[in-house]
């Protein structure tokens, strides 16, 4: 699903805030190869040597030895999906997404259970959570080894978060600062980046730059990632809208 523009187009879009391509994606410049890392590639990046046959456990242990800090994002989907995403903040300004648990119908005991397990595995410093459920956050903070805060929401918080993620996917210099480690638990993250689109009205036009929030869990996964990246790095520049659909797609949206 690599529908991204060329590198030159991407850089121009970041600099001039142009609409880079006619595909309607919120993150059109995400590339499953350029924004992905195998375990060996991630280990090689950190060690400076060519690595092979490294396990994911070895990678995490090595990252801990290097003093790299881990953080998490949580979206309490409630009627949709609850998503827990784990990321590592590298000193170079890069962020790696390493793990995710996302499922519909999770109750607070399940959320606490998974939060504790992930916190213990990665030594997560802080969880950045959906502030719409303060009771959940309060209960999480009662657990040993779990530290959680609500992400501030406001009029422009969604767009601010989206620009923060866009800036990590690729910046104006065509540098990619977001990497997702390729493993079973992150497969849906790659898929979600490839289908996350702007919400359209009956004419096929975007509704106030609002992302589509369907029932398939895509938006919940993207929300958790947005909470994480925006909390760690703040907003980027202006949001890059990419919602001019081609004629056939626009007709389908109307009908």
């Amino acid at each position: 699903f690599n529908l991204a523009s060329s590198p030159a187009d991407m850089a121009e879009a970041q600099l001039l805030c142009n609409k880079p391509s006619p595909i309607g994606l919120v993150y059109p410049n995400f590339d499953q190869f350029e924004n992905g890392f195998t375990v060996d590639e991630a280990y090689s990046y950190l060690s400076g040597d060519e690595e092979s046959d490294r396990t994911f456990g070895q990678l995490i242990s090595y990252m801990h030895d290097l003093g790299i800090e881990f953080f998490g994002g949580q979206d309490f989907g409630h009627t949709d999906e609850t998503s827990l995403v784990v990321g590592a903040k590298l000193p170079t300004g890069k962020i790696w997404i390493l793990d995710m648990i996302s499922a519909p119908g999770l109750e607070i005991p399940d959320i606490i259970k998974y939060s504790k397990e992930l916190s213990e595995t990665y030594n997560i410093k802080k969880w950045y959570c959906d502030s719409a459920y303060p009771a959940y956050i309060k209960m999480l903070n009662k657990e040993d080894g779990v530290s959680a805060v609500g992400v501030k929401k406001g009029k422009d918080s969604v767009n601010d978060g989206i620009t923060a993620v866009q800036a990590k996917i690729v910046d104006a210099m065509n540098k990619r600062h977001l990497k997702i480690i390729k493993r079973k638990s992150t497969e849906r993250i790659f898929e979600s980046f490839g289908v996350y689109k702007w919400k359209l009205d009956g004419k096929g036009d975007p509704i106030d730059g609002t992302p589509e929030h369907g029932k398939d869990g895509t938006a919940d996964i993207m929300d958790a990632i947005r909470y994480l990246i925006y909390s760690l790095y703040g907003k980027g520049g202006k949001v890059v809208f990419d919602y001019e659909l081609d004629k056939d797609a626009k007709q389908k949206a109307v009908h």
Side-chain angles (χ1 to χ4, degrees), residues 75-83 102-111 114 136 215 217 220:
D75 180 69
F76 307 125
H78 196 55
T79 57
D80 301 323
E81 289 197 16
T82 293
S83 300
S102 186
L106 293 184
E107 301 292 341
I108 186 59
D110 301 311
I111 297 171
Y114 291 131
Y136 284 17
K215 298 292 184 180
D220 305 298

Side-chain angles (χ1 to χ4, degrees), residues 126-147:
K126 193 173 294 294
W127 288 97
Y128 298 103
C129 306
D130 182 353
S131 59
Y133 297 85
Y136 284 17
I137 297 171
K138 185 175 181 180
M139 294 176 73
L140 283 171
N141 281 313
K142 290 181 178 179
E143 301 297 319
D144 290 337
V146 179
S147 177

